[in-house]
Amino acid sequence: MKTQPNKLPTAGDIAAHVDYMRSFGYVAPAQRVRIAIPDAAAVLRAYLSYFLGPRMQWLPEYDRVAEWLTDNHGLGLLCAGDCGRGKSLLCERVLPLIIHRHYRLVVKTVQATRLPFCGDEWLAYRLVMVDDVGTEDVSVRFGNRRDMFAELVDAAEKEGHLLLLTCNYGTDGLTQRYGLRVVDRLRGLVRGVRFKGPSLRAEGKNNR
């Protein structure tokens, strides 16, 4: 591909160059899943009210989740922090429905404890939700040890997959569990929302 020596390339020139280089094995940066939903706070409130009915109360954390729905800038979502604040309800039940309604994309959901049994097919899914990250064991098959969550993070970075995650760890806990390499990559893949406060389970006001 020849260009004028003193001519600055346009976006179209670069796109054509990238497509040409793919035939030689060039790996282009992954295109990430973009979420941008108008009136996201109202949409989120409607879905929460559907699941919780009169028990629904708008928590401060939901403002951050609504911001993510308004424009995720290609990032996934990590809901981390105290137990019983509605993290699993959001990521496992509410957000997959909202994303499907607006984009017809299906979020594949899995409990972290099931990750060691999921196999390589999970590494190919475009949108993946993992509940209770950090509770899974390392997969051992025929003497081979695999950390499926670490592999999921690597695949998401390379392929542009969107991750929805919940956990009860802070950043330090995640680093101790997975190491700095995985957590550093995770920082570039998700936006974190801290859930902080007393559990709502005992009060009967919320789900997981």
Side-chain angles (χ1 to χ4, degrees), residues 117-133:
F117 311 101
C118 285
D120 291 332
E121 68 271 14
W122 277 86
L123 304 180
Y125 290 134
R126 187 75 167 143
L127 292 84
V128 178
M129 184 271 160
V130 184
D131 190 35
D132 279 342
V133 167

Side-chain angles (χ1 to χ4, degrees), residues 32 75-78 163 165 185-192:
R32 297 190 176 182
L75 298 176
L77 185 69
L78 169 63
L163 300 177
L165 310 171
R185 293 189 174 198
L186 196 57
R187 286 193 181 105
L189 292 171
V190 299
R191 182 183 300 175

Side-chain angles (χ1 to χ4, degrees), residues 2-54:
K2 296 182 179 180
T3 59
Q4 295 295 327
N6 297 320
K7 181 183 177 182
L8 289 174
T10 65
D13 293 333
I14 296 173
H17 195 185
V18 167
D19 287 340
Y20 173 77
M21 290 297 292
R22 289 182 196 275
S23 63
F24 297 98
Y26 174 76
V27 180
Q31 294 295 316
R32 297 190 176 182
V33 179
R34 186 72 180 270
I35 303 295
I37 296 176
D39 300 319
V43 172
L44 182 59
R45 185 182 294 273
Y47 274 85
L48 287 168
S49 295
Y50 172 80
F51 282 104
L52 298 173

